[in-house]
């Protein structure tokens, strides 16, 4: 009788342990919804990568990801909008986010690199230009405004050929690429009256693909996202700051562990890496 009671007790303990383990597993796999704020240029690639992730992580869903210029993303967060992850297209914009206490500084890292290119409409007779050609005043040009990192990098490059006025007289990578308040930065240059500024790289591409302007400055990855444009010049990398996309968990994130798991997977999984590359993004190895 005593042996039977011991056996029953042991079985009950095993069952309780199994139930506890099952409960822990359920807790680890509880449903999670992540909100990502990402630079406009990441929209197509991010959608594909998120789709891949949810195939193997059925407990994770992504709230409607916000794709805006890096400056606008910061403004949204400063206004109280919620996000778990911020991916900017500019180190300086992420610096602003860090200074404002919007991100967890310890989680910040360089995620992607990109190139600045000049594009023309796919059916344009323009087949090849140089940076000096684009700044000569011969062409009308579309560029992102001050809230668009691609526009800042463009202005840095233009400053090296005398087509953009830095408020402090700096050029190239030493310039911020932001004009003095109340000016466009092109006054007195050959581009004065020739520049069409837009609030997103998508709008910049639309200007050139529609024929509204002759040329536009965008990222290599934008050529993969938008139809109707072709690359006619890769802007020399030494004329502007290195183009990197920093990523960080936000300071307000309530799902920081799940956010970290997604970022880790997105930067190490072979299928995810291939998808980023398919859309023109290279992961930074450092």
């Amino acid at each position: 009788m005593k042996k039977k009671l011991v056996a029953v007790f042991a079985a009950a303990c095993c069952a309780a342990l199994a139930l506890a383990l099952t409960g822990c597993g359920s807790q680890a796999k509880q449903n999670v919804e992540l909100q990502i704020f990402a630079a406009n240029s990441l929209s197509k690639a991010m959608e594909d990568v998120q789709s891949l992730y949810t195939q193997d992580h059925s407990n994770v869903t992504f709230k409607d990801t916000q794709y805006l210029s890096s400056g606008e993303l910061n403004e949204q967060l400063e206004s109280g909008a919620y996000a778990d992850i911020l991916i900017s297209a500019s180190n300086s914009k992420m610096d602003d986010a860090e200074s404002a206490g919007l991100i967890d500084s310890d989680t910040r890292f360089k995620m992607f690199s990109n190139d600045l290119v000049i594009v023309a409409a796919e059916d344009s007779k323009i087949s090849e230009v140089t940076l000096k050609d684009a700044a000569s005043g011969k062409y009308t040009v579309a560029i992102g405004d001050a809230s668009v990192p691609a526009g800042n990098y463009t202005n840095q490059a233009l400053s090296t050929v005398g087509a953009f006025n830095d408020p402090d007289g700096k050029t190239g990578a030493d310039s911020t690429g932001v004009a003095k308040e109340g000016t466009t930065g092109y006054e007195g240059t050959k581009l004065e009256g020739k520049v069409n500024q837009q609030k997103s790289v998508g709008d910049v591409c639309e200007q050139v693909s529609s024929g509204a302007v002759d040329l536009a400055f965008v990222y290599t990855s934008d050529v993969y996202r938008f139809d109707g444009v072709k690359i006619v010049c890769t802007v020399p990398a030494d004329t502007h700051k290195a183009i990197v996309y920093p990523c960080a968990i936000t300071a307000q994130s309530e799902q920081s562990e799940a956010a970290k798991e997604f970022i880790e997977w997105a930067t190490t999984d072979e299928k995810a890496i291939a998808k980023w590359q398919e859309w023109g993004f290279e992961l930074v190895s450092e």
Side-chain angles (χ1 to χ4, degrees):
M1 182 67 177
K2 186 176 181 180
K3 289 182 179 180
K4 184 179 290 187
L5 287 173
V6 170
V8 170
F9 178 73
C13 287
C14 288
L17 178 61
L19 183 61
L21 290 174
T22 299
C24 289
S26 298
Q27 186 176 11
K29 291 295 183 181
Q30 64 183 351
N31 292 335
V32 173
E33 183 180 64
L34 293 176
Q35 174 71 71
I36 297 178
F37 275 21
N40 257 319
S41 48
L42 283 165
S43 61
K44 298 293 185 182
M46 182 63 74
E47 288 169 6
D48 284 356
V49 170
Q50 287 176 346
S51 179
L52 282 175
Y53 191 69
T54 54
Q55 288 176 16
D56 296 327
H57 302 78
S58 58
N59 65 307
V60 178
T61 56
F62 292 93
K63 196 171 182 179
D64 186 26
T65 300
Q66 297 300 299
Y67 300 108
L68 297 167
S69 70
S70 298
E72 289 175 318
L73 292 175
N74 285 355
E75 289 173 5
Q76 290 287 315
L77 290 174
E78 289 177 325
S79 297
Y82 178 86
D84 296 292
I85 298 170
L86 174 65
I87 307 177
S88 178
S90 164
N91 262 328
S92 63
K93 298 300 183 186
M94 187 63 86
D95 288 343
D96 292 341
E98 185 169 351
S99 296
L102 301 176
I103 63 168
D104 177 351
S105 302
D106 292 336
T107 67
R108 177 177 174 174
F109 73 103
K110 296 176 182 178
M111 192 170 186
F112 303 112
S113 61
N114 217 325
D115 293 313
L116 184 67
V117 297
I118 302 174
V119 297
E122 206 164 37
D123 59 358
S124 171
K125 293 181 180 179
I126 302 171
S127 59
E128 187 176 352
V129 298
T130 64
L131 177 61
K132 284 186 177 180
D133 292 334
S136 67
K138 179 181 177 181
Y139 306 102
T140 51
V141 181
I143 298 173
D145 67 17
S147 71
V148 182
N152 303 146
Y153 293 124
T154 297
N155 289 337
Q156 291 166 12
L158 289 173
S159 71
T160 67
V161 291
F164 175 77
N165 303 311
D166 180 273
D168 299 319
K170 297 179 179 180
T171 61
D174 293 327
S175 170
T176 62
V178 179
K180 181 180 179 180
E181 188 174 353
T183 73
T184 64
Y186 312 112
E187 290 85 356
T189 75
K190 292 181 179 179
L191 282 183
E192 183 174 4
K194 298 282 186 176
V195 176
N196 185 327
Q197 291 188 298
Q198 297 292 320
K199 292 186 176 296
S200 73
V201 286
D203 291 338
V204 170
C205 279
E206 171 63 25
Q207 288 295 302
V208 73
S209 64
S210 68
V213 297
D214 301 313
L215 301 172
F217 286 79
V218 296
Y219 296 137
T220 299
S221 56
D222 296 320
V223 180
Y224 292 83
R225 293 197 302 142
F226 300 107
D227 296 328
V229 298
K230 63 182 179 182
I231 296 174
V232 294
C233 173
T234 298
V235 178
D238 61 359
T239 63
H240 56 80
K241 287 182 172 67
I243 299 173
V244 295
Y245 285 60
C247 172
I249 307 298
T250 66
Q252 63 176 322
S253 176
E254 298 173 359
Q255 306 287 351
S256 59
E257 288 306 313
K260 289 175 184 176
E261 288 176 12
F262 169 69
I263 292 171
E264 174 69 19
W265 174 90
T267 54
T268 57
D269 182 83
E270 290 184 2
K271 290 181 180 179
I273 292 172
K275 188 59 67 176
W276 295 125
Q277 292 174 337
E278 181 182 322
W279 288 103
F281 293 97
E282 291 294 333
L283 289 163
V284 176
S285 57
E286 66 180 52

